[in-house]
Coordinates of all heavy atoms in Angstrom, one line a residue:
S388 N 27.0 -61.5 -104.4 CA 26.8 -62.9 -104.1 C 25.3 -63.3 -104.4 O 24.4 -62.6 -103.9 CB 27.2 -63.2 -102.7 OG 26.8 -64.5 -102.3
L389 N 25.1 -64.4 -105.1 CA 23.8 -64.8 -105.4 C 23.1 -65.3 -104.1 O 21.9 -65.0 -103.9 CB 23.7 -65.9 -106.5 CG 22.4 -66.4 -106.9 CD1 21.5 -65.2 -107.5 CD2 22.5 -67.5 -108.0
P390 N 23.7 -66.1 -103.3 CA 23.0 -66.5 -102.0 C 22.6 -65.3 -101.2 O 21.6 -65.3 -100.5 CB 24.1 -67.3 -101.3 CG 24.9 -67.9 -102.4 CD 25.0 -66.8 -103.4
A391 N 23.4 -64.2 -101.1 CA 23.1 -63.0 -100.4 C 21.8 -62.4 -101.0 O 20.9 -61.9 -100.3 CB 24.2 -62.1 -100.3
V392 N 21.8 -62.3 -102.3 CA 20.6 -61.7 -103.0 C 19.4 -62.6 -102.8 O 18.3 -62.1 -102.5 CB 20.9 -61.6 -104.5 CG1 19.7 -61.1 -105.3 CG2 22.0 -60.5 -104.7
A393 N 19.6 -63.9 -102.8 CA 18.4 -64.8 -102.5 C 17.9 -64.6 -101.1 O 16.6 -64.5 -101.0 CB 18.9 -66.3 -102.7
G394 N 18.7 -64.5 -100.1 CA 18.2 -64.2 -98.8 C 17.5 -62.9 -98.7 O 16.5 -62.7 -98.0
A395 N 18.1 -61.9 -99.4 CA 17.5 -60.5 -99.4 C 16.1 -60.6 -100.0 O 15.2 -59.9 -99.6 CB 18.4 -59.5 -100.0
L396 N 16.0 -61.4 -101.1 CA 14.7 -61.5 -101.8 C 13.6 -62.2 -100.9 O 12.4 -61.8 -100.9 CB 14.8 -62.3 -103.1 CG 15.5 -61.5 -104.2 CD1 15.7 -62.5 -105.4 CD2 14.6 -60.4 -104.7
L397 N 14.1 -63.1 -100.1 CA 13.2 -63.8 -99.2 C 12.6 -62.8 -98.2 O 11.4 -62.8 -97.9 CB 13.9 -64.9 -98.4 CG 13.1 -65.7 -97.3 CD1 11.9 -66.4 -98.0 CD2 14.0 -66.6 -96.6
V398 N 13.4 -61.9 -97.6 CA 13.0 -60.9 -96.7 C 12.1 -59.9 -97.4 O 11.1 -59.4 -96.9 CB 14.2 -60.3 -95.9 CG1 13.7 -59.2 -95.0 CG2 14.9 -61.4 -95.2
A399 N 12.6 -59.4 -98.6 CA 11.9 -58.4 -99.3 C 10.5 -58.8 -99.7 O 9.5 -58.0 -99.7 CB 12.7 -58.0 -100.5
G400 N 10.3 -60.1 -100.0 CA 9.0 -60.6 -100.4 C 8.0 -60.5 -99.3 O 6.8 -60.6 -99.6
M401 N 8.4 -60.4 -98.1 CA 7.5 -60.3 -96.9 C 6.6 -59.1 -96.9 O 5.6 -59.0 -96.2 CB 8.2 -60.5 -95.6 CG 8.9 -61.8 -95.4 SD 9.7 -62.0 -93.9 CE 10.3 -63.7 -94.0
A402 N 7.1 -58.1 -97.7 CA 6.3 -56.8 -97.8 C 5.2 -56.9 -98.8 O 4.3 -56.1 -98.8 CB 7.2 -55.7 -98.1
T403 N 5.2 -58.0 -99.7 CA 4.2 -58.0 -100.8 C 2.8 -58.3 -100.3 O 1.9 -57.6 -100.6 CB 4.7 -59.1 -101.8 OG1 6.0 -58.8 -102.3 CG2 3.7 -59.2 -102.9
A404 N 2.7 -59.4 -99.5 CA 1.3 -59.8 -99.1 C 0.6 -58.8 -98.3 O -0.6 -58.5 -98.6 CB 1.4 -61.2 -98.3
P405 N 1.2 -58.2 -97.2 CA 0.4 -57.2 -96.5 C 0.0 -56.0 -97.4 O -1.1 -55.5 -97.2 CB 1.4 -56.7 -95.4 CG 2.3 -57.9 -95.2 CD 2.5 -58.5 -96.6
T406 N 0.8 -55.6 -98.3 CA 0.4 -54.5 -99.2 C -0.7 -54.9 -100.1 O -1.7 -54.1 -100.2 CB 1.6 -54.1 -100.1 OG1 2.7 -53.8 -99.3 CG2 1.3 -53.0 -101.0
M407 N -0.7 -56.1 -100.7 CA -1.8 -56.5 -101.5 C -3.1 -56.8 -100.7 O -4.2 -56.5 -101.2 CB -1.4 -57.8 -102.3 CG -0.2 -57.5 -103.2 SD -0.4 -56.1 -104.3 CE -2.0 -56.6 -105.1
V408 N -3.0 -57.4 -99.6 CA -4.1 -57.6 -98.7 C -4.8 -56.3 -98.4 O -6.1 -56.1 -98.5 CB -3.8 -58.3 -97.4 CG1 -4.9 -58.3 -96.5 CG2 -3.3 -59.8 -97.8
T409 N -4.0 -55.3 -98.0 CA -4.6 -54.0 -97.7 C -5.3 -53.3 -98.9 O -6.4 -52.7 -98.8 CB -3.5 -53.1 -97.1 OG1 -2.9 -53.7 -96.0 CG2 -4.1 -51.7 -96.7
A410 N -4.6 -53.4 -100.1 CA -5.2 -52.8 -101.3 C -6.5 -53.5 -101.7 O -7.4 -52.8 -102.0 CB -4.1 -52.9 -102.4
M411 N -6.5 -54.8 -101.6 CA -7.7 -55.5 -102.0 C -8.9 -55.3 -101.0 O -10.0 -55.2 -101.4 CB -7.5 -57.0 -102.1 CG -6.6 -57.4 -103.3 SD -7.4 -56.9 -104.9 CE -6.2 -57.5 -106.1
T412 N -8.6 -55.1 -99.8 CA -9.6 -54.7 -98.8 C -10.2 -53.4 -99.1 O -11.4 -53.1 -99.0 CB -9.0 -54.8 -97.4 OG1 -8.5 -56.1 -97.1 CG2 -10.1 -54.5 -96.4
M413 N -9.3 -52.4 -99.5 CA -9.8 -51.1 -99.9 C -10.7 -51.2 -101.1 O -11.7 -50.4 -101.2 CB -8.6 -50.2 -100.1 CG -7.7 -49.9 -98.9 SD -6.3 -48.9 -99.2 CE -7.0 -47.4 -99.8
V414 N -10.3 -52.0 -102.1 CA -11.2 -52.2 -103.3 C -12.6 -52.7 -102.8 O -13.6 -52.2 -103.3 CB -10.5 -53.1 -104.3 CG1 -11.5 -53.4 -105.4 CG2 -9.3 -52.5 -104.8
Q415 N -12.6 -53.7 -101.9 CA -13.9 -54.2 -101.5 C -14.7 -53.1 -100.7 O -15.9 -53.2 -100.8 CB -13.7 -55.4 -100.6 CG -13.1 -56.6 -101.3 CD -12.6 -57.7 -100.4 OE1 -12.6 -57.5 -99.2 NE2 -12.4 -58.9 -100.9
Q416 N -14.0 -52.2 -100.1 CA -14.7 -51.2 -99.3 C -15.2 -50.0 -100.2 O -16.3 -49.4 -100.0 CB -13.8 -50.6 -98.2 CG -13.5 -51.6 -97.1 CD -12.4 -51.1 -96.2 OE1 -11.8 -50.0 -96.5 NE2 -12.2 -51.8 -95.1
L417 N -14.5 -49.8 -101.3 CA -14.9 -48.7 -102.2 C -15.9 -49.0 -103.2 O -16.9 -48.3 -103.4 CB -13.6 -48.2 -103.0 CG -12.5 -47.5 -102.2 CD1 -11.3 -47.2 -103.0 CD2 -13.1 -46.1 -101.7
V418 N -15.8 -50.2 -103.8 CA -16.7 -50.6 -104.9 C -18.1 -51.1 -104.3 O -18.1 -51.8 -103.3 CB -16.0 -51.7 -105.7 CG1 -17.0 -52.2 -106.8 CG2 -14.8 -51.2 -106.3
P419 N -19.2 -50.8 -105.0 CA -20.5 -51.3 -104.6 C -20.5 -52.9 -104.6 O -19.8 -53.4 -105.5 CB -21.5 -50.7 -105.6 CG -20.8 -49.5 -106.1 CD -19.3 -49.8 -106.1
Q420 N -21.3 -53.5 -103.8 CA -21.3 -54.9 -103.7 C -21.7 -55.5 -105.1 O -21.2 -56.6 -105.4 CB -22.2 -55.4 -102.6 CG -22.2 -56.9 -102.3 CD -20.9 -57.3 -101.8 OE1 -20.2 -56.6 -101.1 NE2 -20.6 -58.6 -102.0
A421 N -22.5 -54.9 -105.8 CA -23.0 -55.4 -107.1 C -21.9 -55.3 -108.2 O -22.1 -55.9 -109.2 CB -24.2 -54.6 -107.6
Q422 N -20.8 -54.7 -107.9 CA -19.7 -54.6 -108.9 C -18.4 -55.1 -108.3 O -17.3 -54.7 -108.8 CB -19.5 -53.1 -109.4 CG -20.7 -52.6 -110.1 CD -20.5 -51.1 -110.5 OE1 -20.2 -50.3 -109.7 NE2 -20.7 -50.8 -111.8
I423 N -18.4 -55.9 -107.3 CA -17.2 -56.3 -106.6 C -16.3 -57.1 -107.5 O -15.1 -56.9 -107.5 CB -17.6 -57.2 -105.4 CG1 -16.4 -57.4 -104.5 CG2 -18.3 -58.5 -105.7 CD1 -15.9 -56.1 -103.8
N424 N -16.8 -58.0 -108.4 CA -15.9 -58.8 -109.3 C -15.2 -57.9 -110.3 O -14.0 -58.0 -110.5 CB -16.7 -59.8 -110.0 CG -17.1 -61.0 -109.1 OD1 -16.3 -61.8 -108.7 ND2 -18.4 -61.0 -108.8
E425 N -16.0 -56.9 -110.8 CA -15.4 -56.0 -111.8 C -14.3 -55.1 -111.1 O -13.3 -54.8 -111.7 CB -16.4 -55.1 -112.5 CG -15.9 -54.2 -113.6 CD -17.0 -53.4 -114.2 OE1 -18.2 -53.6 -113.9 OE2 -16.7 -52.6 -115.1
G426 N -14.6 -54.7 -109.9 CA -13.7 -53.8 -109.2 C -12.4 -54.5 -108.9 O -11.3 -53.9 -109.2
M427 N -12.4 -55.7 -108.5 CA -11.2 -56.5 -108.2 C -10.4 -56.9 -109.4 O -9.2 -56.9 -109.5 CB -11.5 -57.7 -107.3 CG -11.8 -57.3 -105.9 SD -11.9 -58.7 -104.7 CE -13.5 -59.3 -105.3
T428 N -11.2 -57.1 -110.5 CA -10.5 -57.4 -111.8 C -9.8 -56.2 -112.3 O -8.7 -56.3 -112.9 CB -11.5 -57.9 -112.8 OG1 -12.2 -59.1 -112.3 CG2 -10.9 -58.3 -114.1
L429 N -10.4 -55.0 -112.1 CA -9.7 -53.8 -112.5 C -8.4 -53.6 -111.7 O -7.4 -53.1 -112.3 CB -10.6 -52.6 -112.3 CG -11.7 -52.4 -113.3 CD1 -12.7 -51.2 -112.9 CD2 -11.2 -52.1 -114.7
A430 N -8.4 -54.0 -110.4 CA -7.2 -53.9 -109.6 C -6.1 -54.8 -110.2 O -5.0 -54.5 -110.3 CB -7.5 -54.2 -108.2
V431 N -6.5 -56.0 -110.5 CA -5.6 -57.0 -111.1 C -5.1 -56.5 -112.5 O -3.9 -56.6 -112.8 CB -6.2 -58.4 -111.3 CG1 -5.3 -59.3 -112.0 CG2 -6.6 -58.9 -109.9
T432 N -5.9 -55.8 -113.2 CA -5.5 -55.3 -114.5 C -4.5 -54.2 -114.3 O -3.5 -54.1 -115.1 CB -6.7 -54.7 -115.3 OG1 -7.7 -55.8 -115.5 CG2 -6.3 -54.2 -116.6
A433 N -4.7 -53.3 -113.3 CA -3.7 -52.3 -113.0 C -2.4 -52.9 -112.6 O -1.3 -52.4 -113.0 CB -4.2 -51.4 -111.9
L434 N -2.4 -54.0 -111.9 CA -1.2 -54.6 -111.5 C -0.4 -55.2 -112.7 O 0.8 -55.1 -112.8 CB -1.5 -55.7 -110.5 CG -1.8 -55.3 -109.0 CD1 -2.3 -56.5 -108.2 CD2 -0.6 -54.7 -108.4

Side-chain angles (χ1 to χ4, degrees):
S388 170
L389 184 58
V392 172
L396 286 173
L397 177 65
V398 178
M401 295 180 180
T403 301
T406 302
M407 297 308 305
V408 169
T409 304
M411 289 300 178
T412 302
M413 293 176 66
V414 172
Q415 293 171 347
Q416 294 172 349
L417 289 174
V418 177
Q420 188 66 27
Q422 294 179 306
I423 191 69
N424 287 287
E425 185 179 357
M427 285 187 288
T428 302
L429 286 173
V431 174
T432 301
L434 286 170

